[in-house]
Amino acid sequence: MFTIGEFSKIAQVPSSVLRYYDDLGLLKPMHVDPWTNYRSYSATQLPRLNRILALKELGLSLDQIGRLLNDNVSADELRGMLALRKAQIEQSVAAELDRLRTVEARLQQLDHEGAFSHDDVVVKSVPAQPYLSLRHTLPYLFDGVALIHEIATYLPARIGSKRVGAVTAVMHGEAFALENVDIELGVVLTAAVDDSLTLPNGTRVAMRMLAAMDTAVTAVRVGAFENGYRSYAVLGRWVEQNGYRFVGPAREVLLVLPSADHGTDAVVEIQFPVAKRSSSNPLVS
Amino acid sequence: MFTIGEFSKIAQVPSSVLRYYDDLGLLKPMHVDPWTNYRSYSATQLPRLNRILALKELGLSLDQIGRLLNDNVSADELRGMLALRKAQIEQSVAAELDRLRTVEARLQQLDHEGAFSHDDVVVKSVPAQPYLSLRHTLPYLFDGVALIHEIATYLPARIGSKRVGAVTAVMHGEAFALENVDIELGVVLTAAVDDSLTLPNGTRVAMRMLAAMDTAVTAVRVGAFENGYRSYAVLGRWVEQNGYRFVGPAREVLLVLPSADHGTDAVVEIQFPVAKRSSSNPLVS
DNA sequence: TTGCTCCTCACGTCACGTGAGGTGGC
DNA sequence: TTGCTCCTCACGTCACGTGAGGTGGC
């Protein structure tokens, strides 16, 4: 029989951990002195402790280990648990490799630009939303500003400002173009409306659903339209370096509308639907 | 300006998290109503939130992110942090891949043996220890039992039982052999003694240091000597499947001595020094 | 008036590590 | 007697999630 300290040295496990396992009922000492509460461990308990450590190595939680050790599970159940665990590890390795790539991309970017870029790329998902919009090819992108204001003032008044969300554009053509821009402009809604409307200038706006984007890379641009290309460049490089590809047209969500005269106070979130490039994953055998 | 709920929807971040970041000082709302404590966020705060999320993606802690955002660090410091982070991720990927291999080995073992094996392999390190021992080639392994008892009774009496640790054997020859065994037998000590001794049967025991083992695979065997081969087999397979190799002779630490007659009550820890096989690591470029 | 949102605590998570304050054993 | 080990709380860790219980705004 060993004291907790001796047993701890043999097993290379801190005595605090042995006490913790005692509390959890994972590994009760062979004997506890009723007067002093001193714990005594037998060498024959070492296999059980080793089993605990080995299962912990596999990444099982102490709770799972406890169930494994007490209700002695069947080989099939055990196989199931290990298979599940294997899948989890594969996932987490893939996630870590992604992170690694992202860090490397950041480091490269740092080498090129000497500092933090202004735009941070964030991956998120965007739900489907009702969308009241018009589609048009604009001779110049700047012609859009007037349209935006028409939309932003007229539609809330007609439909009720409670149901109207952010002014949103879908860039159907080249996202970077400044001339002959094929653009869809409108507002997202909290609930669909069934009729289409006509703007004071005669343009018709129609209801449709904006599709959900499972995975979208986004960046926020603050300032004038002219800064748009920078955000797109950042997104493009990020997508390339992190193993994604674009799978649809970009959206621009105008969180703060540009003021009519200069528009340098706008805040716009650019959203680009993407998917993972199928990569040669070393884990998939 | 947005309420916390609106801002939370735009950024796809739970409002509880926004409150948490507020508490931490990571992202203070633009404005807090002094009467109701309602928080208001501006769209221009989205870039900062995105920066937080992007850095979190890289695996930085909120504490580190806070320092990055407030004391705006130099590009070199940032480079250092990212390089450190990169190394950490590489480490953790390597660790996860190890774990993956171990899980796979367990699954294979399960397929072969239909259940848990009796022995669990645990990797640990063993410190250097003073060692009072004799080395001998035994005609039969069982001849060792008498020697063990001679050592275990005589040495503590001579040196003081406080300074004497477990009876320990070093298997210099083939670990699996049962005949003509080149074996070193003795006890580890808590402190070195300077003189060598002579056992009652005339054999001399001498002091030396048992080298530390940085990495040792260990298993505990309960029962008779004859079960030894099973533990060795388990260790051998484990070492092969997990990408290690043996780099020295095995040790056997007798935690509970075999009783003189049968010895089925012994508890022995087998320790085998190992090193990682140099593998084709996909991470090292 | 009725929901809806917002507020502030407070507690739980997971596997321990680290004291504080006190006692037993040689 | 003096260290050394052991004991039991209790609190901290990290980034939140989840109530409870209460209030503000339309």
Side-chain angles (χ1 to χ4, degrees), chain A residues 5 17 22 28-29 44 50 59 74 81 88 91 101 121 171 190 198 211 217 223 225-227 232 248 252 265:
Chain A
V17 172
D22 181 7
K28 290 283 182 194
T44 58
N50 277 350
S74 74
M81 290 188 61
Q88 285 175 348
Q91 271 223 349
R101 264 208 299 232
V121 176
M171 317 301 275
T190 54
T198 306
V217 293
F225 260 121
E226 300 90 271
N227 292 334
Y232 281 107
E252 301 210 357
D265 45 3

Side-chain angles (χ1 to χ4, degrees), chain A residues 6 23 38 74 104 143 151 176 195 218 257 263:
Chain A
E6 292 161 348
D23 287 351
Y38 274 35
S74 74
E104 282 168 350
D143 301 341
I151 286 169
F176 309 84
D195 49 343
T218 69
L257 296 176

